[in-house]
Amino acid sequence: MRIVFANSAWVSAAERLILRGGGWQSVRLRVRYGLIFHPAAGPVLIDTGYTPEALLGERRGRMLRLYSALLKPQLNVDEQVLPVLRRFGLSLDDIRAVVVTHFHADHISGLSLFRNARFIASDAAWARVKARSSRQNLRHGVFTELFPADFDARLDGISAKPRVAAHGDTPGGADLFGDGSVIAVDLPGHADGQFGLLFNGLDRPLLYAVDVQWLLSALIEKRTPGFPATLIAEDAAAIEPTSAMLRRFLAAGGEVMLCHDPAPTPYDLAPEAA
Ligand SMILES: [Zn+2]
């Protein structure tokens, strides 16, 4: 099964905000999303990255406008979903499933582009989004205007998927396609309902751990940032135990990838030859 990641945008942050003991200099972070080619489910997207909908869309509320003005993500035009799918001879309508790891803007921004897709996501977290007012959702970092109007009808919740048990230092979770190839692993801490994806069938098992940390060095060197990062976390106390689980997986020979770490990985798309 082929797995690729693209970089939808660049976002800058002072290192000390995302790495305990870091400096004031700014770090240029990626905003990755993934594309897997599953033998039965076909091309499946993992999140959407930032798309113009979150940064320029007419439907944006006042808070989403403010958020993008503060964060100033720079869209990476060449690696937006449409041109990336084109590189593989695909169109937006060929995507029949999008895995949504959590509901932050840089993961759901482009969901409305995919008219034929079901959304594989945490139905428990979605139930909480529906139960909250839009102001309460903002406090959880969820901009509800980014969800397609029929998100609920197209939701394919992970709670109904068969469970795979943990073995040794390999975590268990929900078997998304019923063949053990992609396991949704709960990653509490950063956002309500966040899960990562474990690809077990590779020579070296890969866990895409999304936003457990912004930087791999924060994970590996146990440098989880303190305030104000803890303020925006859904459950700050859960970040360390989740990070420790990832360190055990690494120590046992696994590979961990994050959404925002700036260093290129073997799974990142090579820049297209001009
Ligand atoms: Zn996030």
Side-chain angles (χ1 to χ4, degrees):
M1 191 175 67
R2 184 157 187 207
I3 303 167
V4 296
F5 282 84
N7 179 34
S8 65
W10 298 99
V11 178
S12 295
E15 188 189 55
R16 58 187 304 138
L17 295 179
I18 52 178
L19 181 69
R20 184 154 43 88
W24 283 110
Q25 77 276 16
S26 126
V27 180
R28 204 163 173 241
L29 298 169
R30 292 175 190 248
V31 183
R32 290 184 174 89
Y33 66 95
L35 176 63
I36 60 179
F37 295 88
H38 186 271
V44 174
L45 211 66
I46 304 166
D47 298 324
T48 69
Y50 272 126
T51 66
E53 283 71 18
L55 306 183
L56 311 158
E58 289 294 313
R59 286 166 56 216
R60 292 178 308 153
R62 200 159 49 93
M63 291 309 288
L64 181 52
R65 286 167 199 262
L66 181 65
Y67 166 89
S68 43
L70 287 173
L71 220 59
K72 298 191 196 69
Q74 281 178 274
L75 290 183
N76 184 9
V77 177
D78 292 344
E79 295 191 24
Q80 286 286 300
V81 272
L82 187 59
V84 165
L85 290 175
R86 264 200 212 114
R87 287 199 211 182
F88 294 96
L90 297 167
S91 72
L92 297 168
D93 289 349
D94 292 325
I95 299 296
R96 308 296 300 275
V98 180
V99 178
V100 186
T101 61
H102 64 291
F103 298 145
H104 285 165
D106 50 332
H107 299 263
I108 68 165
S109 169
L111 288 184
S112 53
L113 299 169
F114 300 96
R115 294 173 298 186
N116 295 332
R118 64 194 160 100
F119 301 120
I120 303 173
S122 166
D123 39 328
W126 174 246
R128 289 188 285 273
V129 168
K130 283 197 293 183
R132 292 192 289 248
S133 68
S134 47
R135 182 186 291 226
Q136 287 168 329
N137 274 315
L138 287 175
R139 265 190 257 128
H140 293 263
V142 177
F143 299 97
T144 45
E145 66 265 46
L146 291 173
F147 289 99
D150 58 355
F151 183 84
D152 200 60
R154 290 155 67 190
L155 176 64
D156 180 9
I158 61 167
S159 73
K161 308 282 180 196
R163 302 285 301 180
V164 170
H167 57 279
D169 291 318
T170 303
D175 183 0
L176 295 189
F177 301 108
D179 59 358
S181 63
V182 188
I183 309 295
V185 177
D186 282 336
L187 300 173
H190 168 74
D192 188 7
Q194 176 180 240
F195 60 84
L197 297 176
L198 171 65
F199 302 96
N200 252 330
L202 308 170
D203 289 341
R204 188 179 174 200
L206 171 70
L207 210 173
Y208 178 54
V210 205
D211 291 357
V212 169
Q213 299 276 358
W214 285 276
L215 297 176
L216 266 178
S217 52
L219 176 71
I220 292 164
E221 300 164 17
K222 302 188 192 176
R223 294 170 72 184
T224 296
F227 184 85
T230 46
L231 186 72
I232 56 170
E234 179 74 18
D235 178 3
I239 293 176
E240 243 329 287
T242 297
S243 299
M245 179 272 285
L246 295 176
R247 284 192 293 268
R248 289 193 298 273
F249 176 75
L250 279 167
E255 182 172 8
V256 170
M257 235 182 112
L258 298 171
C259 177
H260 300 300
D261 192 83
T265 78
Y267 295 98
D268 288 316
L269 269 184
E272 204 166 31

